[in-house]
Amino acid sequence: MHRRKLALVCFWIICLGLILPGWGHVPQRAAQAQGISSAALNLVAPAACPAGGCAAGQRLSYRLEYTLGQYDGLTDLPNVKVCLYVPNNWYDAASVQLDANGGVTGAAYTNTGVCSEDPLPPTNYSLLAAGEAKFYLTNVFNDSLGLSFRLAPTASVSGSVLLRVFERTGPAAWTRTSQVFTSQSSPVATAATVYVAPDAASCPSGPCYLNSAGDAASGLGTGLKDAVDAAAPGSRIVVVGAATVKGNTVAVNKSLILEGQGNASLTGTGGCSNALVNFTAGGTLRGLNLQDGTCSAPDRPLVTINSPVDFLVEYNTFNSGSEALRITDNTGNLTVRFNQFNGISGKVLVWGSGSSPAALSMTANNIVGSPAGEMVECSEGGTAVIANRRVDHNYWSSGLPTTASHCVITPNKQLGAPAAQRANLPGVNASRVTVTNTKTYFMNNQVALQRSTDGADFDMLLVDHGRSVPFDQGRTTGSPIPCSNYYDIFLAEGAAPAGSLDISLKYNSTTACVAVVESSQYCELSTNTAKFPLYWYEPSGTVTAGWDTTGQNPAGSAAGGATGQTTVCDSAVDEVRVSVDNTGRPSLSADLNFTPFMVGIPI
């Protein structure tokens, strides 16, 4: 009887050997690996830390590789264990991720959180993770695991990541078969300004964050999310180079300044239904190229804002995208200014439905290359215009919005030509400035403003059109040959200056301009200031007859007998100056809400 059972067991072992590779031989008590046990601990994402070291709060992704050769394959207990250590207070416990399956074997690993198999854990180190697996009746020579964790935002001491591999060599016996550790490094402490870069070589000095492995909720796996979580409220996060955001939206849940350095960009990779970034606590988005990457049909939305406090969006370029900005029922006010919107396939701004009284000021932006129709929405699903949501002084290549957008749109308060884009920088060349009783230059020292001594300081906006002629769409009687750029110069909302405002424009763009402007035909004719070649344009096209000089009486059909303003040539500094008050045209109250100026030579 016993012989019959033994023969039956042998039969099934031989059959299983034909079905399952590696089961054709009865294993010995310990697996037989070839060679000496070894291990590797390789940083895979980011590929390397910046030269100064990884930033505190940076997420690190490693690949663990190890050979096996002594485990007991007959026990029903776990027989392989990997234990990982880092210096005390060096990591964020909630961030630890150890693969659930071996990369070579596919075997299930359990992260136990303890490593009692290690009789001598390293001093001043903490257990980071401990994964154990059971290999049944087969020779397994090696395996690998992925590991990710975040350095703690307060990490500062120098240390290494340590991997130890243990194999069960008997029912109650474990042997450490390999050990490896990274070179020592010191985390770089967080600061008031931190950086996000595409790779270590692009990082400036200071704490710099890079993408790690994976693509998890809230943007975990991106350097941007690490920077957001590590930085203190009020900090600056500066993007350098061509950084990327993965499929999940990066959640910015504290008030921060997110800005670009130079012509930096933030581009999506995948996740075409998710916005790149979502702001929920106020702050500023400034000086970045934001683009949806490879997404198309549908394009990817770019930025969402759901903030209880005020938020500022300025000097950015938004490329492609199904929507550039989506605002939910914010209770904070929103300012959107000096941005370039290129080829947004939907609306450039959508304010969702809700009862929030928050205000919108959308000023001095270019909206180009978008489909015809309403390019903004100030109250999605609404039935009336929202009185404090204004979209004046923008350039709309596909036509002005209407009241169907539920936004305030003031007649004539639009840019008559696109604002010039900043050279090798995102956004457009425009600014909001404060006018004082000291003459101050702006726009690369080409425009100067000074108020009279009566009254108080006030704010104005300056928009540079380069050599694009505002409102030159067949309605003008001919534009002068420019000796300066064209500038829109207008009062900020709510500004009410007293006295007068001096506006000075340079005419030294070429030596020919200087020679002609200062000739007897123009600035030397001190008795005929109407000839002084500082021009302005009234957008309705009825006060000025095309471009009139500031010194002449306006020649339009609706000028109503208005006189010009005092205009002076100052050849010592190559500029023409006009004093604008409420006695003539252009006037502070009637014209300085929407007026283009330029210096030029008549055709």
Side-chain angles (χ1 to χ4, degrees):
M1 184 66 178
H2 292 294
R3 290 175 181 171
R4 186 180 306 165
K5 289 182 178 179
L6 181 60
L8 186 59
V9 169
C10 291
F11 169 78
W12 280 111
I13 290 174
I14 293 169
C15 288
L16 287 171
L18 296 175
I19 299 170
L20 300 177
W23 283 49
H25 300 86
V26 179
Q28 299 181 13
R29 192 162 185 82
Q32 300 300 306
Q34 302 297 315
I36 300 172
S37 295
S38 63
L41 181 57
N42 298 313
L43 182 64
V44 294
C49 285
C54 283
Q58 169 71 55
R59 185 169 179 267
L60 302 171
S61 299
Y62 289 89
R63 180 177 175 82
L64 322 177
E65 298 176 327
Y66 40 91
T67 58
L68 301 169
Q70 299 185 37
Y71 68 86
D72 182 348
L74 296 181
T75 178
D76 287 332
L77 301 172
N79 49 20
V80 170
K81 191 157 194 175
V82 294
C83 298
L84 292 125
Y85 299 91
V86 292
N88 293 340
N89 305 314
W90 222 51
Y91 75 104
D92 174 6
S95 70
V96 179
Q97 294 178 314
L98 185 68
D99 281 357
N101 296 93
V104 176
T105 65
Y109 280 76
T110 301
N111 190 350
T112 64
V114 295
C115 191
S116 57
E117 296 78 6
D118 190 350
L120 294 171
T123 305
N124 298 322
Y125 272 61
S126 300
L127 183 69
L128 178 71
E132 62 182 21
K134 164 64 184 170
F135 295 110
Y136 293 96
L137 301 176
T138 183
N139 289 333
V140 175
F141 302 137
N142 64 298
D143 209 353
S144 66
L145 287 171
L147 167 76
S148 294
F149 72 95
R150 265 182 174 172
L151 293 168
T154 56
S156 58
V157 299
S158 180
S160 304
V161 182
L162 168 65
L163 165 65
R164 286 177 173 172
V165 181
F166 298 88
E167 299 180 52
R168 187 189 293 273
T169 53
W174 287 85
T175 299
R176 190 176 82 192
T177 56
S178 57
Q179 170 179 285
V180 68
F181 48 87
T182 62
S183 58
Q184 284 212 339
S185 63
S186 296
V188 178
T190 57
T193 298
V194 302
Y195 299 90
V196 173
D199 51 61
S202 302
C203 286
S205 60
C208 185
Y209 296 85
L210 309 168
N211 283 3
S212 54
D215 182 9
S218 298
L220 189 66
T222 65
L224 177 55
K225 181 57 177 171
D226 289 343
V228 167
D229 290 351
S235 299
R236 293 170 65 239
I237 297 178
V238 179
V239 178
V240 297
T244 57
V245 167
K246 300 181 184 181
N248 282 292
T249 302
V250 175
V252 182
N253 56 358
K254 60 184 73 167
S255 181
L256 298 164
I257 298 171
L258 175 59
E259 65 183 24
Q261 177 175 289
N263 206 23
S265 62
L266 200 60
T267 303
T269 57
C272 296
S273 61
N274 299 322
L276 299 181
V277 188
N278 179 39
F279 295 91
T280 58
T284 298
L285 174 63
R286 176 189 297 131
L288 267 172
N289 291 290
L290 298 117
Q291 42 213 24
D292 72 346
T294 58
C295 293
S296 62
D299 295 325
R300 182 172 182 171
L302 299 179
V303 174
T304 55
I305 302 170
N306 179 17
S307 175
V309 292
D310 294 354
F311 197 87
L312 172 63
V313 180
E314 65 177 6
Y315 293 116
N316 303 287
T317 294
F318 296 84
N319 290 302
S320 302
S322 58
E323 293 173 345
L325 296 165
R326 173 167 281 270
I327 295 86
T328 54
D329 197 24
N330 278 27
T331 52
N333 299 323
L334 177 64
T335 299
V336 180
R337 64 190 186 191
F338 318 146
N339 301 285
Q340 176 84 14
F341 296 91
N342 290 327
I344 304 300
S345 60
K347 297 182 187 299
V348 296
L349 184 146
V350 178
W351 197 301
S353 60
S355 58
S356 169
L360 167 66
S361 174
M362 184 175 180
T363 307
N365 304 280
N366 284 345
I367 297 93
V368 299
S370 296
E374 305 293 348
M375 291 306 300
V376 288
E377 172 57 74
C378 284
S379 180
E380 195 172 40
T383 58
V385 170
I386 307 299
N388 64 351
R389 296 182 186 164
R390 297 180 173 275
V391 294
D392 289 331
H393 302 292
N394 300 289
Y395 177 75
W396 311 86
S397 69
S398 58
L400 273 173
T402 69
T403 54
S405 67
H406 309 114
C407 306
V408 174
I409 312 224
T410 307
N412 297 330
K413 285 190 178 181
Q414 72 268 15
L415 301 183
Q421 296 184 58
R422 297 197 297 169
N424 299 313
L425 292 170
V428 302
N429 193 24
S431 60
R432 179 173 176 141
V433 302
T434 299
V435 181
T436 71
N437 60 4
T438 299
K439 184 177 182 180
T440 306
Y441 285 89
F442 306 98
M443 293 287 151
N444 196 29
N445 295 320
Q446 295 300 298
V447 179
L449 302 174
Q450 182 180 10
R451 68 168 174 83
S452 57
T453 55
D454 51 338
D457 296 348
F458 55 92
D459 282 5
M460 299 196 74
L461 285 92
L462 307 178
V463 180
D464 177 12
H465 295 286
R467 296 304 169 94
S468 296
V469 185
F471 302 104
D472 186 29
Q473 304 187 20
R475 297 186 302 156
T476 70
T477 57
S479 300
I481 298 170
C483 286
S484 74
N485 286 354
Y486 294 86
Y487 298 97
D488 260 274
I489 301 175
F490 55 93
L491 296 168
E493 291 291 337
S500 63
L501 167 69
D502 286 354
I503 301 173
S504 302
L505 268 65
K506 296 281 188 181
Y507 54 78
N508 58 357
S509 60
T510 67
T511 55
C513 277
V514 173
V516 174
V517 170
E518 294 180 359
S519 72
S520 59
Q521 288 293 311
Y522 302 107
C523 280
E524 284 192 14
L525 288 176
S526 57
T527 59
N528 188 1
T529 60
K531 287 273 193 174
F532 294 171
L534 177 58
Y535 288 84
W536 71 293
Y537 185 94
E538 196 274 326
S540 72
T542 59
V543 175
T544 59
W547 291 86
D548 287 348
T549 67
T550 57
Q552 75 175 85
N553 296 337
S557 60
T563 61
Q565 295 281 21
T566 301
T567 304
V568 176
C569 287
D570 190 345
S571 58
V573 289
D574 296 336
E575 61 191 33
V576 187
R577 180 178 71 252
V578 60
S579 294
V580 179
D581 56 20
N582 283 319
T583 65
R585 303 289 291 268
S587 74
L588 284 174
S589 58
D591 300 305
L592 261 290
N593 290 311
F594 40 58
T595 307
F597 292 88
M598 59 88 70
V599 177
I601 304 166
I603 295 175

